Amino acid sequence: MAAPIRFDGKVVLVTGAGNGLGKQYALDFAQRGASVVVNDLGGNFKGEGSGTRAADVVVNEIKAKGGKAVANYNSVEEGEKLVQTALENFGKIDVIVNNAGILRDRSFARISDTDWDLIQKVHLRGAFQVSRAAWPHMKKQNYGRIINVTSAAGIYGNFGQANYSAAKLGVVGLSNTLAIEGRKNNIKCNIIAPMAGSRMTETVMPPELVDALKPEFVSPLVLFLAHEDCEDSGSLFEVGAGWIGKLRWERTKGVVCRSKNTSMSPEAVRDNWDAIADFTGSQIPTSTQDSSAIMMETLRNVDSGPAKPSRRSASSGSGPDIEAAKAYKPKPIKFTYSARDVMLYALGVGSSTRAPDYLKFLYEGSEDFGVLPSFAVIPAQMGMQNIVTEGIPGMTINPAKILHGEQYVELYKPLPTSGTLTSQVSIADVLDKGSGAVILINITTFDEKKEKVCFNQFNIFAVGYGKFGGNRNSEAAKAPGKMPSRKPDSFMVETTSVDQAALYRLCGDRNPLHIDPSFAAMGGFDKPILHGLCSFGHATRHVLKKYGNNDVTTVKAIKARFAKPVLPGQTIHTDMWKEGNRVMFQCKVAESGDICLSGGYMDFHAASAASASAVPPQVSGLKSDMIFEEIGRRAKDEPGMVKKINSVFQFNITKDGKTATVWTTDMKTPGGAVYKGSPKQGKADCTLTISDDNFGDMVSGKLNGQDAFMKGLLKIQGNLMLAQKLGELFQSKANL
Ligand code: NAI
């Protein structure tokens, strides 16, 4: 059985706890282990007078039963003093029940300024003052529960209670926003509209009802809402006589009362009146984003959309009009960028000068300066963002309820290092996944010569937009891959920087979710999260390095599904499986073991598919093989040489334009190590690519190393300066 609801170690402040409902809450909290601040001004129910007796009686009752309580006699308008009492006596504040209240009922025309002001002060300003005083303490301890008290009179209105109704509905507004702002610090705020017999209600209720509607039929809800087990926040409950119900807003589907190129008229409103108020197929908005999404949709459909409303417009509410969505052709998007953007992107997805082979992505002066293939998402992302914020004809999308599900990138040629690219956006399909709709957004990008450079498919999941009777799958969808059941053929592990998201957002996706802790909290995250496409960039680098020798020309396509977010500073572990020209990959967060990118694959052009070990098919009779065998022997005999060189070189030896063999000379390992293949540990400090013949000539001194480099016969990646040590290695004049 689940544990009983207890409050041991928790400090609870109940305002207006000297009588009625507040008294019951205070007694019940104390009975279940809480230390309770019993606040009460001690006046009459109209807010006149003051005294200590009301609070003292309750404190004494708690203490007599062995509980912990202290009295506070201030008005709730002095919120700081109430919270101070909690801090001074119990060292903290965990729970507040803003319960204190008075009544000054008058029919509207007879409400005096005092009647109005006093009611606002006690109910609304009081709840504000007490909550504000506790807020920083709750934030600091990352825990807080606030229960605010409204009334049916506030929710529905009640004759003679205009002042009270206004204040009580004000409490609902206050609570809704506290629930949003408190999310990131685990501060939850809920509201109750109680009904119980008390001195306040005995003036309006018959005595039998006052007796029957006991405060103990309300108190258990308050205790549960105050407990750490309760996950709700921003919820409103009606409670009384042991019955509890939850309230929410409901709105009709509504009607667009205007059309393109015609002005809106009161007659149009009148003529649509029944439909405006028809709750058939109603909606349940829960946020300001929900509220405004329909209006954004209307703007788009009426003003920029087709003159005739689409078959299934916002007003019909029976799911998306897929044909209208597919026919949508937004204006092409231009994206101008420079080498700076390319390098910023490389940094954004974790490239570092610590790995010399990444200089080609970070230094415009690199001989083979190039663009990471995953940069293809950058020119396209603006098109995707526009679709999300401006919407799609025939669809009502709430930008707050969409998730980036999957990404597919195809490259038709290596991305230029600068220039202006033009992207054309289209909706490939809208799929019905039950819990939501998948929108497939295709974006084709062209260069200045109008030649295709790349293609993106953004797979966007619109939560709660499914069940419209549409197709579950589509031929247009670029499906994710299936990981083989065998152990991964290789893997790569890299820790992201704590500033990774801050850096990546400078590439264009400035969603505050990735930088602003409050915004991230609103999305239910403890911290700002890394962009999914940033993890995608990391994975791209990993696979490209292991299987494409960091050669951007080898990549044909990349696909991945965003399974879980990564937090900046966490470690991405990419597992890889080679399957012909396709390398399947899957990334997990090393710290949690959670898969963050699933179903991933990178397709390589047929000729370039390499293996992770980088040992190419062996070609016999190479001059270089003999030279390296000799170097291996010398390394054993000449410890001085090993010490002097103290570097790891990788040699990619080519024959007829293709890699014929790869050798590593590792002079960092004690005693030196010379072997075929890429370095067994870590990376080479310097990688040289040269043909077998030229290598032989260079070692024998026939070919000057510097000349070879200048003529492009020798390519060097990594630490160029180390190439000066080659003479030492070859015992020749191969100096550079
Ligand atoms: P009550 O009159 O029995 O208790 C209210 C307590 O608040 C009193 O002890 C009073 O001295 C104290 N108080 C008044 N002004 C204060 C101030 N400025 N600072 C500190 N303490 C102050 O009333 P009841 O019925 O227990 O009401 C509790 C709350 O529930 C109120 O907010 C009321 O508006 C709300 N409510 C009650 C309903 C009911 O059926 N009893 C119906 C709807 C709402």
Side-chain angles (χ1 to χ4, degrees), residues 125-142:
R125 192 174 152 80
F128 156 65
Q129 290 287 350
V130 176
S131 305
R132 191 183 58 176
W135 198 256
H137 303 285
M138 289 181 163
K139 267 179 89 170
K140 205 165 160 201
Q141 70 196 14
N142 214 36

Side-chain angles (χ1 to χ4, degrees), residues 15-22 25 39-45 47 54 73-77 82 98-103 122-123 149-152 164 168 193-201 205:
T15 72
N19 286 290
L21 285 161
Y25 307 150
N39 156 265
D40 207 289
L41 181 62
N44 69 10
F45 82 92
Y73 315 113
N74 295 105
S75 167
V76 284
E77 291 171 70
L82 276 66
N98 281 310
N99 163 81
I102 55 167
L103 281 182
V122 174
H123 290 276
V149 180
T150 184
S151 160
Y164 180 72
K168 282 304 201 191
M195 183 145 130
S198 73
R199 67 179 201 174
M200 207 187 253
T201 46
M205 281 182 193

Side-chain angles (χ1 to χ4, degrees), residues 431-450:
L431 310 180
D432 187 350
K433 296 284 183 185
S435 58
V438 163
I439 308 165
L440 299 175
I441 303 174
N442 281 358
I443 305 184
T444 308
T445 301
F446 302 84
D447 62 14
E448 284 155 49
K449 288 188 243 155
K450 298 200 169 35

Side-chain angles (χ1 to χ4, degrees), residues 283-489:
Q283 300 161 353
I284 319 265
T286 58
S287 64
T288 52
Q289 286 85 354
D290 276 356
S291 166
S292 57
I294 188 91
M295 296 169 215
M296 297 304 117
E297 150 89 355
T298 303
L299 276 184
R300 199 177 50 253
N301 279 348
V302 179
D303 295 329
S304 44
K308 271 203 314 189
S310 57
R311 268 194 295 117
R312 269 175 262 161
S313 66
S315 58
S316 72
S318 53
D321 180 343
I322 298 172
E323 291 315 311
K326 281 187 182 172
Y328 182 46
K329 204 173 176 219
K331 273 196 208 132
I333 290 150
K334 281 205 183 313
F335 176 76
T336 300
Y337 66 105
S338 66
R340 184 181 173 281
D341 300 294
V342 165
M343 294 183 283
L344 184 61
Y345 174 81
L347 288 170
V349 297
S351 311
S352 162
T353 53
R354 273 198 300 268
D357 50 344
Y358 281 143
L359 265 195
K360 66 190 293 185
F361 303 124
L362 296 171
Y363 173 42
E364 70 280 25
S366 302
E367 194 199 354
D368 47 0
F369 178 53
V371 186
L372 279 164
S374 48
F375 180 83
V377 301
I378 300 295
Q381 71 187 355
M382 209 196 302
M384 203 278 292
Q385 284 160 7
N386 288 353
I387 282 273
V388 169
T389 50
E390 290 169 15
I392 305 163
M395 298 189 72
T396 311
I397 316 174
N398 178 351
K401 290 200 173 164
I402 64 151
L403 303 167
H404 191 171
E406 297 170 15
Q407 185 70 25
Y408 174 79
V409 168
E410 197 167 329
L411 292 132
Y412 303 113
K413 50 163 104 171
L415 294 153
T417 53
S418 64
T420 296
L421 301 179
T422 306
S423 295
Q424 181 60 59
V425 182
S426 66
I427 306 299
D429 215 338
V430 182
L431 310 180
D432 187 350
K433 296 284 183 185
S435 58
V438 163
I439 308 165
L440 299 175
I441 303 174
N442 281 358
I443 305 184
T444 308
T445 301
F446 302 84
D447 62 14
E448 284 155 49
K449 288 188 243 155
K450 298 200 169 35
E451 286 174 8
K452 273 200 226 171
V453 179
C454 58
F455 167 82
N456 276 269
Q457 186 173 83
F458 291 79
N459 170 313
I460 301 297
F461 191 76
V463 181
Y465 201 60
K467 296 196 183 120
F468 55 84
N471 293 334
R472 236 189 122 70
N473 297 306
S474 166
E475 279 184 4
K478 303 286 182 185
K482 228 176 147 214
M483 297 305 119
S485 50
R486 68 177 188 273
K487 274 189 175 173
D489 300 335

Side-chain angles (χ1 to χ4, degrees), residues 224-251:
F224 180 65
L225 292 174
H227 196 260
E228 58 206 21
D229 280 359
C230 179
E231 291 291 321
D232 264 67
S233 196
S235 298
L236 167 61
F237 302 89
E238 288 182 303
V239 52
W243 173 89
I244 304 168
K246 188 167 176 174
L247 253 80
R248 65 184 179 191
W249 294 99
E250 181 185 13
R251 75 175 174 199

